[in-house]
Amino acid sequence: MAAGGGTKAIIAALTANLTIAVLKFVAYILTASSSMLAEAIHSVADSGNQILLLVGGKRAARQASPQHPFGYGRDRYIYAFIVSIVLFSVGGLFALYEAYHKWQDPHPIEGFWWWVPLAVLIGAIIAESFSLRTAVVESNHVRGKKSWVQFVRNAKSPELPVILLEDIGALLGLVFALFGVSLTLLTGNGIWDAVGTAMIGVLLVVIAVVLAIETKSLLLGESATKEHIRLIEEAIGADNETRIIHLKTMHLGPEELLVAAKVTIAHSESGRKIAEQIDATEQRIREAVPIARVIYLEPDIFRSDRASASSEATGA
């Protein structure tokens, strides 16, 4: 996944959230609506998360060092995981706390400024819709034929899935806030404001948990996609001489793939011939899968008899 598309989506979301956060805080000050306070904190948390994603992308671009010979690509995964923690604690748990507080003291929304939350929420829905549209457009460039669920679950770059989930959560949260505020204004009962706030809190906690689960998988080290594995296998066997005994892959970062394989050579091949064959195979892999940055190929003798195959399987 190209980092440029992710960065564009992050900046669009950050711009929208900073503007919306200020307006939500103004609406809360004027009306003391708990839904507006929860949404304001939600926007602040989202803004902080987008800054974290930008920082993660910047740090991941550092060159490899003797201490970190495989580079810093996983910094993007680490910062995405921090995003899930911030969304859970600052966004979700705060909203649930505020809902509980408002439930204990369900004051209505009164005074001249009663209309401000409605105007802010409707404006915010429009702004967040444009932000989500940007994320969808950028995601479609790399999503291919995958469903949205498959894209979020299988994406190796964390930025676009995170922004997509945050923008969807932001839109749903705004709808929940509009629901709570509208019913509070219609009924004069602040309980509805508390209900809307609680709905926002539960939504953010669920999104944070999903993000944490998916990012944890990336942190542990995921293999290449099925398509990339197929291309690597075809590249290794393209000379009709080299066969795969076993193959393992792992993402060192969104655009950095480690490939390790044991491949066959003939009994009679010289050291020079083996080296040339390995070099040619590495070149074919890099041409087929450009993100295959680190490749280790171990040559082994091909054995066609069953006994040898059995000993290979048992590691003898």
Side-chain angles (χ1 to χ4, degrees):
M1 182 182 299
T7 300
K8 183 177 179 180
I10 292 170
I11 293 175
L14 178 60
T15 302
N17 278 316
L18 287 175
T19 303
I20 293 169
V22 173
L23 295 176
K24 289 174 181 177
F25 273 119
V26 170
Y28 166 70
I29 292 170
L30 293 176
T31 62
S33 166
S34 65
S35 292
M36 294 309 303
L37 178 59
E39 273 299 299
I41 297 300
H42 178 189
S43 293
V44 170
D46 280 354
S47 299
N49 289 341
Q50 282 125 32
I51 292 173
L52 284 172
L53 291 175
L54 291 173
V55 172
K58 182 72 174 178
R59 291 182 62 83
R62 291 177 294 169
Q63 295 296 317
S65 66
Q67 188 176 8
H68 298 279
F70 291 112
Y72 296 85
R74 287 194 182 182
D75 260 341
R76 288 165 70 178
Y77 299 152
I78 293 171
Y79 278 83
F81 188 76
I82 295 173
V83 163
S84 68
I85 297 173
V86 172
L87 194 63
F88 178 83
S89 56
V90 178
L93 295 186
F94 178 84
L96 291 174
Y97 167 79
E98 184 61 24
Y100 173 78
H101 179 72
K102 186 59 178 283
W103 189 274
Q104 300 298 313
D105 181 23
H107 52 272
I109 299 174
E110 298 175 330
F112 175 77
W113 302 107
W114 64 268
W115 55 271
V116 172
L118 297 177
V120 169
L121 289 171
I122 293 173
I125 288 173
I126 295 173
E128 287 289 359
S129 297
F130 280 106
S131 176
L132 178 60
R133 179 180 178 276
T134 300
V136 169
V137 170
E138 296 301 325
S139 297
N140 280 333
H141 292 159
V142 293
R143 183 169 64 97
K145 296 180 179 179
K146 296 178 183 176
S147 68
W148 286 107
V149 173
Q150 290 174 327
F151 173 68
V152 171
R153 296 205 61 183
N154 299 324
K156 305 305 181 184
S157 294
E159 291 84 2
L160 284 175
V162 168
I163 293 300
L164 275 171
L165 289 176
E166 281 194 346
D167 283 350
I168 291 171
L171 272 176
L172 289 176
L174 289 167
V175 171
F176 294 161
L178 187 61
F179 166 81
V181 169
S182 298
L183 286 181
T184 298
L185 290 172
L186 289 172
T187 64
N189 189 345
I191 289 293
W192 290 110
D193 197 16
V195 170
T197 307
M199 292 169 68
I200 295 169
V202 171
L203 171 70
L204 295 181
V205 167
V206 170
I207 291 176
V209 170
V210 171
L211 283 177
I213 292 172
E214 295 304 322
T215 311
K216 175 191 172 186
S217 178
L218 292 169
L219 277 172
L220 289 175
E222 289 189 354
S223 66
T225 63
K226 292 181 179 179
E227 175 65 14
H228 280 166
I229 290 175
R230 181 185 64 81
L231 291 173
I232 292 170
E233 290 174 342
E234 290 178 354
I236 291 176
D239 61 355
N240 295 321
E241 296 180 2
T242 309
R243 302 185 186 183
I244 298 173
I245 298 175
H246 63 70
L247 170 68
K248 293 183 180 180
T249 63
M250 184 175 69
H251 270 271
L252 302 173
E255 285 113 25
E256 295 176 276
L257 185 64
L258 182 149
V259 178
K262 179 177 284 191
V263 297
T264 63
I265 58 173
H267 286 266
S268 59
E269 288 181 347
S270 65
R272 179 184 294 275
K273 176 63 176 177
I274 293 171
E276 291 174 352
Q277 185 176 337
I278 293 296
D279 290 343
T281 303
E282 288 183 358
Q283 182 62 30
R284 293 196 302 272
I285 292 173
R286 289 193 170 94
E287 290 175 354
V289 182
I291 66 170
R293 307 286 177 83
V294 182
I295 302 174
Y296 296 111
L297 299 180
E298 178 186 351
D300 199 357
I301 300 298
F302 175 70
R303 300 162 183 161
S304 59
D305 59 285
R306 183 175 300 179
S308 295
S310 176
S311 65
E312 177 65 39
T314 59

